[in-house]
Amino acid sequence: YKFPPLDLLRDYGESSANVDKDELEANKKRIVDTLANYNIAIDKIKATIGPTVTLYEIVPAAGVRISKIKGLQDDIALCLSAIGIRIIAPMPGKGTIGIEVPNEKPQVVSMHSVIASKRFQEEQKMKLPISIGRTITSEVFMFDLAKTPHLLVAGATGQGKSVAINAIITSLLYKKHPAELKFVMVDPKMV
């Protein structure tokens, strides 16, 4: 048996972050201005650029309630002219509030780049390693399917359910020998 070659997957090339400094600074200013309109003071704001979204971490001034910022999600999305933003309040393990804003020009995260990554190729501890994409810091995101025996994939149209299933199947095909793993696919709706 020969494992499938990587050239079966389309290579989009390695591209760096595609958010220019003007867009970054403009978004920072809009966030600070919008919060200032609602009398919410910010001590500092920093940005982490990811492949498809940019995470703006804000440190609110003392005495500002987190629920007040969470309630302004739609107002912040409106001022940024963004389709939708996500507020993570508070950020786990940090004393900040995160605001995820979609990039104007999202970068393609190809299955080729994820499967060819050193992390996926050298993974030995996981029984059924699944590489699903990249995190906001562009690190390969992996999990062990053996530790998640009941997996529900749900979401609205166009949110990536089929892409997630394809990533799971591709990861297993590139990592496991047929003697180690067999597929049984049941499709009652005949999709």
Side-chain angles (χ1 to χ4, degrees):
Y1 176 77
K2 288 183 183 174
F3 280 95
L6 281 174
D7 60 9
L8 290 176
L9 301 171
R10 186 181 299 160
D11 185 8
Y12 288 88
E14 290 295 320
S15 57
S16 58
N18 48 359
V19 177
D20 60 3
K21 286 190 176 178
D22 295 337
E23 180 188 343
L24 210 61
E25 292 305 317
N27 282 349
K28 279 184 183 180
K29 185 177 181 341
R30 285 188 198 127
I31 290 170
V32 171
D33 291 347
T34 302
L35 293 174
N37 290 341
Y38 295 94
N39 298 321
I40 297 172
I42 301 298
D43 281 348
K44 78 178 176 185
I45 183 168
K46 75 169 195 166
T48 307
I49 302 168
T52 57
V53 295
T54 300
L55 174 68
Y56 296 91
E57 285 184 66
I58 58 172
V59 178
V64 174
R65 295 182 60 185
I66 292 174
S67 60
K68 198 172 179 186
I69 295 174
K70 265 189 155 177
L72 297 173
Q73 184 164 332
D74 293 336
D75 298 293
I76 295 169
L78 180 68
C79 87
L80 293 170
S81 305
I83 295 164
I85 64 165
R86 186 170 80 119
I87 294 183
I88 309 154
M91 292 277 293
K94 300 178 179 181
T96 60
I97 295 169
I99 301 173
E100 283 184 354
V101 181
N103 296 339
E104 280 181 31
K105 298 176 202 143
Q107 177 188 340
V108 173
V109 178
S110 69
M111 201 65 206
H112 181 280
S113 69
V114 173
I115 296 291
S117 69
K118 186 177 179 184
R119 174 142 191 247
F120 183 80
Q121 292 295 326
E122 294 179 0
E123 177 55 53
Q124 298 294 323
K125 293 177 185 168
M126 295 181 189
K127 289 180 182 174
L128 297 172
I130 304 297
S131 189
I132 206 93
R134 293 191 180 273
T135 65
I136 188 121
T137 55
S138 288
E139 296 169 17
V140 173
F141 180 76
M142 290 180 65
F143 68 94
D144 191 354
L145 189 63
K147 291 186 177 173
T148 55
H150 305 289
L151 180 65
L152 175 66
V153 181
T157 304
Q159 294 297 307
K161 298 179 294 296
S162 297
V163 175
I165 298 295
N166 287 335
I168 290 170
I169 294 167
T170 304
S171 296
L172 294 172
L173 287 173
Y174 274 87
K175 203 66 176 169
K176 290 294 171 185
H177 189 279
E180 298 174 284
L181 180 69
K182 298 274 188 256
F183 282 108
V184 176
M185 296 188 185
V186 180
D187 186 7
K189 285 171 65 180
M190 303 293 187
V191 177

